Amino acid sequence: MFGKLTRLRCLDLDGCNIEKLPESCISGLCNLEIVDLGWECELPKEINNWPKMSSLSHNKGKDGMPRGIEKLTLLEVLKSYKVRKEEVSRINNFSGMEELAGLNSFQVLWIHNLENVRGGKEGAERAKLNDKQHLRELDLCWGYGDVKRTSNSDGMVLEGLQPHPNLKELEINEFKGLKFPRWLSDFLPNLVKLDLTNCKYSEKLPALGMLPSLRELNVVRMNAVKCLGNEFYHQVDVTDEDGEDSSSSVGSSRMMTLFPSLTELHLYCLENLEEWVSLPPPYISFPVLEYLKIECGKLISTPNSFPSLKELTLDGTTNRPVTHLYG
């Protein structure tokens, strides 16, 4: 029946129990522009007959990507692109990311199963995210659980996934690298929202204080982080003979505002976070922060200057952060 609806532009199966599209839908609905397959319906094996597609969403975790996706040049929303496992590819030196290279209309892109990327940084660069100037929302996710892979491989892949500077929202999930690439601190001037979730092996957060547009920061279950130190505020490149940190990005002779646009900061389930340092003058930090939520049971100290704070939520913490906040 669906296959006869040749003028159909939107097909939304979210919440339905349809597990597989009939062949008539795949071959006959050539005017489809928006498709949401929901949680139950599997992806078709090919989508060459959907050339007008602008939005494709699906939630079935184990499905591989259909053939022909690289031809959907009008595609603006893809939730999500799942990187194929190596044994699925029959192309020599195939990184799993080439299909995204020529799709430059993306506004929203979720890339999952990044543990399957081959070729490290060079393999990830084949997606050409840095060319996608219209991309505003990017979700990067590795496999859940203790997948057997090295932290170095995750680090190299993330290094190669540098997006265009126009990006506004970024989520990084299940990254097992030890440190974040420098592009996250230096090359995203328009970033408004950042979520770092389940990055359990990274001992330090990236230097985010110099991002001029960042308004919302959510840090969740980063269990290796024990201290939010100077490196959280700005790039720390050199340690002088007295042990004091200096930065190539920040001068010490003038007042410098860090996190100038941040209004919301959420720290969830950082199980080993004990200290959150504040920077003395000439630095001014968090001048417009309005909403602060902390759920960190071991946290002892925090900065004590949040001049614009309107709402403070402490969950599972001791009274020591409160003493610092209002001391």
Side-chain angles (χ1 to χ4, degrees):
M1 178 178 177
F2 278 152
K4 297 180 179 180
L5 304 176
T6 56
R7 296 185 180 181
L8 193 68
R9 294 185 178 183
C10 179
L11 179 62
D12 188 348
L13 301 180
D14 192 22
C16 298
N17 293 321
I18 297 175
E19 296 183 358
K20 186 176 182 179
L21 287 175
E23 181 58 36
S24 60
C25 286
I26 300 170
S27 59
L29 302 184
C30 57
N31 287 304
L32 278 176
E33 297 177 9
I34 301 173
V35 174
D36 188 343
L37 298 178
W39 291 92
E40 298 295 331
C41 188
E42 65 182 46
L43 280 164
K45 294 189 181 303
E46 63 179 59
I47 49 178
N48 291 314
N49 294 321
W50 296 352
K52 299 181 180 180
M53 184 75 61
S54 64
S55 177
L56 175 60
S57 303
H58 66 99
N59 293 304
K60 201 158 186 179
K62 295 183 180 180
D63 285 357
M65 298 309 298
R67 293 186 296 272
I69 197 167
E70 71 280 0
K71 299 178 181 179
L72 303 183
T73 56
L74 301 180
L75 201 58
E76 297 178 354
V77 177
L78 179 54
K79 304 178 183 178
S80 62
Y81 180 85
K82 298 185 183 297
V83 183
R84 294 181 178 88
K85 291 183 178 180
E86 185 171 6
E87 58 266 23
V88 175
S89 173
R90 298 179 180 179
I91 304 174
N92 292 331
N93 200 29
F94 184 72
S95 77
M97 304 289 279
E98 286 87 350
E99 291 170 312
L100 298 176
L103 303 181
N104 291 324
S105 296
F106 280 129
Q107 296 183 25
V108 178
L109 175 60
W110 297 1
I111 307 178
H112 291 182
N113 300 347
L114 282 165
E115 70 279 5
N116 292 332
V117 174
R118 277 83 68 192
K121 179 181 178 182
E122 292 183 358
E125 285 177 340
R126 294 180 183 179
K128 296 187 177 180
L129 295 189
N130 202 22
D131 292 344
K132 304 185 191 312
Q133 60 179 327
H134 303 294
L135 188 62
R136 56 180 172 82
E137 178 184 331
L138 177 63
D139 184 339
L140 302 174
C141 185
W142 282 257
Y144 293 97
D146 294 324
V147 180
K148 291 183 179 179
R149 62 182 190 270
T150 67
S151 60
N152 184 60
S153 66
D154 278 19
M156 295 303 293
V157 168
L158 187 56
E159 181 74 35
L161 293 174
Q162 179 177 339
H164 192 278
N166 288 344
L167 190 72
K168 292 185 179 296
E169 298 185 18
L170 173 63
E171 178 172 353
I172 299 175
N173 200 340
E174 291 289 338
F175 173 66
K176 293 188 183 302
L178 299 181
K179 63 179 182 178
F180 294 93
R182 185 148 186 167
W183 60 253
L184 189 54
S185 305
D186 291 352
F187 298 107
L188 297 178
N190 297 293
L191 192 68
V192 172
K193 180 181 178 183
L194 174 62
D195 290 355
L196 301 174
T197 305
N198 295 316
C199 304
K200 297 179 180 179
Y201 293 87
S202 303
E203 296 181 355
K204 297 179 180 180
L205 268 65
L208 302 173
M210 300 294 290
L211 294 178
S213 303
L214 186 64
R215 294 204 298 262
E216 181 179 346
L217 174 60
N218 300 299
V219 184
V220 183
R221 289 187 291 277
M222 291 187 60
N223 296 339
V225 176
K226 296 181 179 180
C227 176
L228 300 181
N230 289 11
E231 73 287 337
F232 174 50
Y233 294 87
H234 58 78
Q235 288 286 356
V236 176
D237 294 326
V238 180
T239 302
D240 63 24
E241 295 179 356
D242 298 325
E244 296 181 355
D245 293 318
S246 62
S247 169
S248 61
S249 303
V250 182
S252 58
S253 61
R254 59 187 177 87
M255 298 299 290
M256 178 62 65
T257 301
L258 302 170
F259 295 98
S261 301
L262 194 70
T263 59
E264 296 186 39
L265 174 57
H266 302 156
L267 304 174
Y268 294 114
C269 299
L270 276 68
E271 296 180 356
N272 293 298
L273 180 63
E274 298 178 356
E275 182 182 12
W276 177 8
V277 305
S278 58
L279 296 188
Y283 302 106
I284 301 172
S285 304
F286 307 105
V288 298
L289 187 69
E290 296 181 356
Y291 304 97
L292 175 60
K293 183 169 183 178
I294 301 174
E295 185 180 326
C296 307
K298 294 183 179 180
L299 186 62
I300 297 174
S301 63
T302 67
N304 60 4
S305 178
F306 298 103
S308 302
L309 196 63
K310 294 180 179 179
E311 183 176 315
L312 172 65
T313 303
L314 299 176
D315 189 358
T317 65
T318 67
N319 65 348
R320 286 174 289 188
V322 178
T323 302
H324 279 263
L325 281 165
Y326 293 103

